[in-house]
Amino acid sequence: MARQIASIFVWVELTAGEHHFAPRPVEAAQPPEIQHAWMLRRNTIWSRMQRDRPGLHYPSLVIELRKLAASLARMIDTT
């Protein structure tokens, strides 16, 4: 789940798209009940990543993921 959330975040940063439309191939391969559970958890984690609350690890994760997305964007733009 954590890798999928990170992937979604980077996809949103690179495309300026909405997180609802990010590809989620690992989730798609899961049974429907797992997909539903992941959807609920994904939305909770996503909302936490949008806040800047001290003590949570999400703001630090967002900073690192933004760095990664910027690096990927530079690599894509130079090819």
Side-chain angles (χ1 to χ4, degrees), residues 6 41 67:
R41 190 158 181 224
K67 290 178 189 177

Side-chain angles (χ1 to χ4, degrees), residues 3-48:
R3 288 181 185 173
Q4 183 169 256
I5 292 294
S7 175
I8 291 169
F9 187 89
V10 171
W11 185 89
V12 167
E13 288 288 307
L14 288 173
T15 66
E18 294 185 32
H19 73 281
H20 298 291
F21 301 121
R24 297 183 304 275
V26 174
E27 181 180 326
Q30 302 300 315
E33 62 275 5
I34 299 296
Q35 289 181 19
H36 181 71
W38 280 17
M39 179 194 65
L40 298 174
R41 190 158 181 224
R42 180 180 66 243
N43 290 339
T44 300
I45 293 170
W46 187 261
S47 68
R48 289 180 181 169

Side-chain angles (χ1 to χ4, degrees), residues 51-57 59:
R51 297 184 212 143
D52 188 20
R53 296 175 62 188
L56 296 175
H57 69 277

